[in-house]
């Protein structure tokens, strides 16, 4: 069982105060009965609050640390079985304005995690990546792609018995900090308008709970060097806006018909659709029940790796996995998704 797998494991989560990192901590403690857990983050205030939250869990500890500090990472990785690396800069505009900051954290930070894991003899490292790493059009996506490539290269250059390095790539986590849900909710509360970049824009979606459980599962599945691409439903952003207007306007004493949807045009570097797998990657991909596993383009130098998985659906993928190729959810299905995941609730 997946839960039993972690019961004797010592785990580190970097970026433990972020949206993904904090959920990883929550699920590992509550659902997977992790043996012990160390959470690392450079956000002192949030780290204090999460430390208080787990005060009654003697197996959970939190420390101030930065992905840019290799020595600190090495110290905290000693004796650890699995590292989930979730620390990153993720906001496109901010990375675009300060590109070298993105390089230092999202690229050099990944290399620091790799070197620390090798020095500390960690068993498995899972890097949390993004759909924006596929055919990137901005600094943030490019930095995430380089993070993936560093992880794959680390595994390719590793020896048998060394750390297993792999990545997990997923799309929009609805309700996460900076995502469209809280933006639309606030716009509805103010009576509109709802700002939409393009009426035909589509996106992959998933809840934070789904995203983190699949990241955890990938630590069990990984053989080394893969990029696991999470299967997700697709929505049109305009449908999401219309559903949220209908559902939320009455809560705020407003008439849904009075709230305007205003098209403001795409932001610089923004895509009309999301890509989770490129045409080149498609040729070396295995389809699993919940994932696609993109195998490394280059074989490992010092070991033979057999990429065998449970629940293989197909060893041949014919279509690049992007949101323009996939059927979109109906507005009723979007409504059910939002309600079942508590995404309509006020913060």
């Amino acid at each position: 069982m997946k839960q039993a797998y972690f019961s004797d494991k010592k785990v580190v989560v970097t970026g433990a105060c972020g949206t993904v990192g904090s959920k990883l901590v929550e699920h590992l403690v509550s659902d997977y009965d992790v043996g012990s857990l160390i959470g690392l983050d450079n956000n002192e205030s949030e780290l204090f609050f999460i430390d208080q939250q787990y005060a009654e869990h003697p197996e959970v500890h939190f420390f101030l640390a930065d992905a840019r500090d290799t020595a600190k990472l090495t110290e905290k990785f000693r004796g650890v079985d699995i590292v989930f690396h979730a620390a990153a800069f993720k906001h496109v505009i901010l990375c675009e304005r300060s590109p070298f900051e993105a390089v230092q954290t999202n690229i050099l930070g990944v290399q620091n995690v790799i070197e620390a894991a090798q020095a500390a003899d960690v068993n498995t490292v899972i890097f949390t990546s993004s759909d924006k790493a596929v055919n990137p059009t901005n600094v943030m996506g490019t930095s995430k792609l380089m993070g993936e490539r560093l992880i794959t290269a680390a595994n390719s250059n590793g020896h048998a018995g060394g750390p297993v390095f792999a990545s997990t790539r997923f799309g929009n986590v609805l309700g996460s900090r900076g995502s469209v849900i809280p933006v639309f909710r606030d716009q509805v509360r103010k009576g509109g308008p709802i700002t939409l970049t393009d009426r035909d824009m589509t996106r992959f979606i998933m809840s934070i709970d789904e995203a983190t459980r699949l990241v955890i599962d990938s630590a069990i599945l990984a053989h080394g060097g893969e990029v696991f691409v999470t299967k997700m439903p697709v929505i049109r952003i305009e449908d999401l806006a219309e559903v949220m207007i209908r559902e939320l306007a009455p809560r705020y004493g407003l008439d849904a018909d009075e709230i305007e949807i205003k098209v403001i045009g795409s932001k610089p570097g923004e895509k009309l659709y999301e890509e989770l797998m490129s045409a080149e990657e498609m040729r070396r991909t295995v389809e699993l029940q919940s994932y696609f596993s993109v195998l490394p383009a280059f074989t490992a130098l010092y070991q033979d790796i057999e990429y065998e998985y449970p629940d293989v659906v197909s060893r041949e993928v014919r279509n690049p996995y992007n949101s323009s190729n996939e059927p979109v959810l109906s507005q009723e299905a979007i409504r059910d998704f939002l309600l079942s995941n508590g995404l309509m609730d006020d913060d």
Side-chain angles (χ1 to χ4, degrees):
M1 291 178 63
K2 295 174 184 177
Q3 284 78 1
Y5 180 84
F6 289 92
S7 62
D8 62 345
K9 299 292 190 296
K10 185 174 183 180
V11 175
V12 167
V13 176
T14 71
C17 296
T19 302
V20 173
S22 61
K23 273 294 180 181
L24 281 169
V25 172
E26 179 184 323
H27 285 303
L28 285 165
V29 173
S30 62
D31 299 342
Y32 292 85
D33 193 28
V34 68
S36 65
L37 186 145
I38 292 174
L40 306 179
D41 207 290
N42 63 2
N43 187 327
E44 182 195 20
S45 296
E46 291 298 322
L47 202 63
F48 173 80
F49 292 126
I50 196 172
D51 187 64
Q52 294 297 301
Q53 183 181 341
Y54 290 94
E56 296 183 4
H57 292 268
E59 78 281 13
V60 181
H61 304 279
F62 296 93
F63 299 91
L64 276 167
D66 198 299
R68 301 183 185 187
D69 187 342
T70 311
K72 176 62 73 173
L73 294 175
T74 303
E75 173 194 333
K76 295 306 178 189
F77 287 3
R78 295 209 183 276
V80 165
D81 298 297
I82 301 168
V83 172
F84 292 102
H85 181 42
F89 289 153
K90 67 174 186 178
H91 293 289
V92 171
I93 295 299
L94 295 180
C95 289
E96 210 67 26
R97 290 174 184 163
S98 305
F100 191 60
E101 294 300 313
V103 168
Q104 288 183 299
T105 293
N106 293 4
I107 299 178
L108 300 181
V110 173
Q111 183 61 29
N112 293 341
V113 167
I114 290 168
E115 292 176 6
Q118 291 168 333
D121 293 323
V122 170
N123 292 336
T124 304
V125 177
I126 301 297
F127 169 57
T128 57
S129 187
S130 163
D131 61 284
K132 293 177 177 62
V134 183
N135 298 325
T137 58
N138 50 56
V139 169
M140 187 279 212
T142 303
S143 68
K144 281 293 195 178
L145 175 60
M146 277 306 305
E148 288 184 6
R149 295 296 169 86
L150 286 170
I151 289 288
T152 299
N155 203 87
S156 175
N157 290 302
H159 293 265
V164 169
F165 294 95
S167 302
T168 300
R169 183 192 293 164
F170 48 82
N172 291 283
V173 177
L174 289 187
S176 63
R177 296 173 187 175
S179 71
V180 72
I181 293 281
V183 173
F184 281 178
R185 185 170 53 228
D186 191 52
Q187 290 175 336
V188 172
R189 184 188 292 115
K190 293 175 180 177
I194 302 295
T195 54
L196 198 68
T197 55
D198 193 297
R199 292 189 183 277
D200 293 322
M201 184 171 287
T202 57
R203 288 292 182 265
F204 289 103
I205 61 161
M206 69 189 321
S207 71
I208 183 61
D209 289 302
E210 292 171 325
T212 50
R213 286 195 184 100
L214 290 167
V215 170
I216 292 168
D217 289 350
S218 67
I220 303 171
L221 290 171
H223 294 292
E226 310 103 315
V227 178
F228 290 105
V229 177
T230 305
K231 293 181 179 179
M232 289 176 287
V234 173
I235 62 168
R236 287 173 67 246
I237 300 299
E238 184 177 27
D239 289 334
L240 174 65
E242 291 177 355
V243 168
M244 291 190 69
I245 290 170
R246 281 200 305 272
E247 289 295 316
L248 293 179
R251 299 188 190 183
Y252 304 130
L254 301 170
D255 183 350
D257 294 333
E258 297 293 322
I259 298 178
E260 174 193 6
I261 294 178
K262 183 179 179 181
V263 178
I264 60 173
S266 299
K267 300 172 186 174
E270 188 176 39
K271 296 179 181 179
L272 188 61
Y273 57 89
E274 252 178 1
E275 300 173 278
L276 276 167
M277 185 197 307
S278 70
E280 186 278 326
E281 290 175 328
M282 174 187 71
R283 297 177 297 174
R284 48 187 170 89
T285 294
V286 177
E287 183 179 359
L288 311 180
Q289 201 68 44
S290 300
Y291 285 112
F292 294 98
S293 175
V294 181
L295 305 185
F298 300 95
T299 57
L301 298 175
Y302 306 112
Q303 55 183 320
D304 293 323
I305 301 175
E306 294 291 332
Y307 292 97
E308 298 294 336
Y309 306 100
D311 303 323
V312 172
V313 175
S314 174
R315 291 194 171 270
E316 206 172 276
V317 176
R318 298 183 180 277
N319 294 310
Y321 193 46
N322 68 60
S323 62
S324 65
N325 289 341
E326 302 297 316
V328 298
L329 290 181
S330 67
Q331 290 197 4
E332 186 61 31
I334 293 172
R335 176 183 176 276
D336 291 344
F337 181 91
L338 295 176
L339 292 174
S340 64
N341 286 287
L343 294 171
M344 297 283 207
D345 300 336
D346 286 332
D347 294 333

